[in-house]
Every structure is written in C-alpha cells, then in structure tokens.
Amino acid sequence: MAKRYYELHVSGCTRHLPVLNISDKVAIAGFVILGDVEIVENTARDLAAKVPKDCEYVMTAETKGIPLAAELARNLGQKTYLVARKSVKAYMDDPICVEDESITTMGKQKLYLSASDVALIRGKKVLLVDDVISTGGSMKALKELAEKAGAQVCCQAAILAEGDAAKRDDIVFLEELPLLEAE
C-alpha cells in the first residue's frame, strides 16, 4: 500500500493516486486508467472537444492508452483506431519499428506497426494519444512511427502533462500532474 497519495481532479473526476518513488529524488503519482470507465469516458469527451476535428485516425501505444484511444475515436466519429504494439505478434505482416524510452518503463522498448496499419494511415492525418506525457519519450517514438508510416501527425494529446511537459505548446492535455519529491 502506498503511504502517500496525490489528489487529482480531471474532467469532473477525483482520484487519489498513489505516490511512487522512481528514484531517490523524484516520485510520480501513479495514474492508471485501465478499468476506470468513468475517467476514460469523461476525459475522452473533453479531449475530443480540444483536438483538431480533421484528424482521420487516433493512434496510441499499448497498453494504458488503448481505452482512451477507443473512446476518443468513438467521440470523434471514427470507426477505427490504431495501436502500436510493444512486440511483434503473429498476425502482424511486415511490421515497421522504432525504439522508445519512458520513465515508467524500465529500459528501452520497441514499438511496432503492421504493414496493413501502415497502409491505412499513409497520407492520412493522425491524432496521437496517451494517458500521460512526461518526458515525451513515448510520444516521440509514437510520432516517429506514424511519420515512418507516411502519416501526418495533426495533434499529440494526453489526459495529463507531467512535470515540464505541461510547459510544452505542441501538445493538448487536460490537466497538469506535478513531479513530486521522493520520500
């Protein structure tokens, strides 16, 4: 059990997030949307109101961005969304790949997109989405993957911008999430 919590208010929802040390100096508030239908529905609705309406596809990296991407695509009237996978699956035909590094993932990981998904988004406007943007490493890799597929990134969006990411003017987000001091 966490000993500290951060109270988050976003899109009419209040959540008490456990504070987790990620180093001897820095802690983060652990934000997990998986299984939280209310927060996914409310934040997707609010993000849909803030992103460009001419985006043709929503794309995210697995895993925590998946329910948000699905609900956001629904809110935008899209029938399909894309998920960059963290490993090659048997059903993926001739995938393309980029490397990713994130503060919430230990070490480097790779993101993959199948050739059929590449064909779907080539020349299209794509909205990139994730639950939280912190260092920007995951979003940078997702953008690189979309561009490698020939898509035009029309917007980068997240529910929360953590730490210095909240100062960026190239992303859309709903609320700031501070980096905290480790205890």
Side-chain angles (χ1 to χ4, degrees):
M1 296 278 307
K3 296 177 183 173
R4 289 193 313 170
Y5 292 88
Y6 175 80
E7 188 171 282
L8 173 70
H9 302 277
V10 62
S11 296
C13 299
T14 299
R15 298 294 183 270
H16 294 91
L17 309 179
V19 175
L20 312 162
N21 292 342
I22 59 168
S23 74
D24 59 342
K25 295 183 183 196
V26 178
I28 60 172
F31 181 63
V32 179
I33 64 171
L34 296 174
D36 192 333
V37 173
E38 180 186 34
I39 210 157
V40 169
E41 287 179 346
N42 290 6
T43 58
R45 175 200 65 222
D46 291 351
L47 276 174
K50 293 181 78 166
V51 299
K53 304 302 176 251
D54 63 343
C55 291
E56 298 168 274
Y57 290 98
V58 174
M59 181 171 153
T60 193
E62 68 179 0
T63 299
K64 293 191 308 181
I66 294 173
L68 179 63
E71 188 66 15
L72 186 53
R74 190 184 70 72
N75 273 269
L76 294 171
Q78 299 172 1
K79 303 284 186 208
T80 304
Y81 66 94
L82 294 96
V83 178
R85 304 301 306 258
K86 292 182 180 175
S87 62
V88 175
K89 306 299 179 193
Y91 59 80
M92 295 176 78
D93 54 320
D94 195 25
I96 62 171
C97 174
V98 298
E99 269 197 358
D100 170 28
E101 193 163 2
S102 160
I103 66 168
T104 57
T105 304
M106 301 303 272
K108 291 186 180 189
Q109 62 184 1
K110 293 182 178 183
L111 291 178
Y112 299 90
L113 199 60
S114 70
S116 56
D117 286 342
V118 169
L120 190 65
I121 64 171
R122 184 177 298 119
K124 303 293 184 184
K125 293 179 182 177
V126 177
L127 164 63
L128 305 180
V129 66
D130 208 351
D131 59 336
V132 179
I133 297 174
S134 187
T135 63
S138 296
M139 191 60 74
K140 180 180 175 200
L142 197 57
K143 183 178 182 187
E144 185 181 333
L145 188 63
E147 290 172 346
K148 189 173 186 177
Q152 176 190 348
V153 175
C154 64
C155 184
Q156 298 173 73
I159 298 170
L160 304 174
E162 186 173 51
D164 286 342
K167 298 173 187 168
R168 291 176 52 180
D169 60 4
D170 64 329
I171 61 173
V172 171
F173 62 94
L174 299 176
E175 296 293 337
E176 292 183 33
L177 187 63
L179 288 174
L180 306 164
E181 287 187 35
E183 287 186 357

